[in-house]
Amino acid sequence: MTFHEVAGLRFHVERLGPSDRPPAATVVLVHGFPADTLATYYFTVAPAWRRRASMSSCTTSVVMAAPPRPDSGYQLERFVEDLPALLDELGIAGPVHLVGNCFGGMVAFGMAVLHPDRVASIFAIESEPATPDWAIQLAPACITAEQIRTSRSPSPRSPRSTVHTWVACAAAARMLRTTSLARDILASELLLDPMEFWQIRCPVFAVYAADSDLVGLADRLPHALPDCRTAVVAEQDHFVLSGAPEQISALILDWLAEQGVAVTLPTTPGLRAAS
């Protein structure tokens, strides 16, 4: 893992792929905020990519990037502008395939609006384009995270997803308490009216969990975006990336194969096609 200074911030970057030739395609994994870190990708889909990146026939570069967590400056448009600046720092000029988990998906959608020439496709996990209504919903989400943080720790016998949910919410509550994240998000200028979704012209694949509050988007989002398909993962909640890493990894590889990135796809059980 290396560090890169961009816009006065220090980013952690992990790159997987060929080192002896330029990659034919670049995939950028963007994690969420505040209940998510680069580790989510590193311990879920990254192992599959590392195995593939070690193959001599692989010409795909995978970039996992993690920004720092300063006290302030969390307006959505700042994330969106930091991403192309980081790509420039890494020498990546062409359009990239963005994979965004939760808030990372919102950054990807924002990138597609402000910098459409730099986005080849979007794979969104439990995410949506940011709207004013979404920003308003942040307040009760903050309260929920704080309530979970202050509750008793989960039993060691709890399922992995339950433990992960508690740890993630604890981290989110700590960040919401110590930074201006919530206020900055509400003050973001890059909040799209639903009628502006047509600006996102690149292909989109969005994945939702059956037990998530966002699952209704699986049916609605294809009607709002010009080129969008969705899928629902059964028996999972909002933290589906950690709860079903094999399924999500397979879906990502399948989607990238459709976009012309040569990969081999295992079967993906437990999914319901939504469109």
Side-chain angles (χ1 to χ4, degrees):
M1 184 174 293
T2 60
F3 299 93
H4 294 266
E5 296 286 339
V6 175
L9 301 173
R10 193 183 194 212
F11 287 77
H12 297 194
V13 177
E14 175 81 5
R15 299 185 72 169
L16 306 176
S19 57
D20 58 342
R21 58 194 184 280
T26 298
V27 181
V28 181
L29 309 183
V30 186
H31 70 72
F33 272 107
D36 196 16
T37 68
L38 187 61
T40 303
Y41 281 128
Y42 196 80
F43 292 109
T44 56
V45 301
W49 278 110
R50 183 175 294 279
R51 288 192 297 271
R52 184 159 299 281
S54 66
M55 298 171 60
S56 60
S57 61
C58 178
T59 58
T60 300
S61 173
V62 180
V63 177
M64 295 184 289
R69 301 195 173 199
D71 295 336
S72 61
Y74 292 97
Q75 292 86 352
L76 180 59
E77 56 270 15
R78 296 192 63 171
F79 285 90
V80 173
E81 293 300 342
D82 285 345
L83 182 52
L86 178 61
L87 295 178
D88 291 341
E89 168 70 16
L90 297 174
I92 301 171
V96 298
H97 301 273
L98 294 175
V99 178
N101 183 43
C102 191
F103 189 83
M106 295 178 182
V107 174
F109 286 125
M111 179 90 162
V113 171
L114 295 185
H115 303 281
D117 58 322
R118 305 201 69 171
V119 182
S121 72
I122 293 175
F123 187 99
I125 306 166
E126 278 287 301
S127 186
E128 61 182 310
T131 65
D133 286 343
W134 165 80
I136 292 173
Q137 292 171 5
L138 180 67
C142 296
I143 294 173
T144 300
E146 179 63 18
Q147 288 174 339
I148 294 177
R149 185 193 71 83
T150 56
S151 66
R152 65 182 180 86
S153 300
S155 165
R157 296 184 179 181
S158 299
R160 181 182 65 172
S161 60
T162 301
V163 175
H164 180 272
T165 299
W166 186 91
V167 172
C169 287
R174 182 169 57 253
M175 187 173 180
L176 290 165
R177 188 178 62 254
T178 59
T179 72
S180 62
L181 173 64
R183 296 191 301 275
D184 291 346
I185 291 297
L186 290 172
S188 295
E189 296 179 0
L190 185 61
L191 295 176
L192 298 178
D193 183 279
M195 297 301 294
E196 296 179 310
F197 287 173
W198 61 269
Q199 296 182 59
I200 300 174
R201 311 299 300 182
C202 68
V204 174
F205 195 103
V207 178
Y208 300 96
D211 297 332
S212 167
D213 292 340
L214 298 178
V215 69
L217 289 166
D219 294 322
R220 298 196 302 270
L221 206 59
H223 298 291
L225 300 177
D227 186 358
C228 176
R229 299 205 320 272
T230 62
V232 175
V233 182
E235 299 180 352
Q236 292 294 325
D237 59 16
H238 179 66
F239 299 97
V240 61
L241 179 57
S242 296
E246 296 84 4
Q247 291 172 268
I248 298 300
S249 181
L251 279 172
I252 294 173
L253 295 177
D254 187 22
W255 172 248
L256 293 174
E258 290 186 31
Q259 307 311 309
V261 180
V263 291
T264 302
L265 175 72
T267 57
T268 309
L271 296 173
R272 170 175 62 83
S275 66

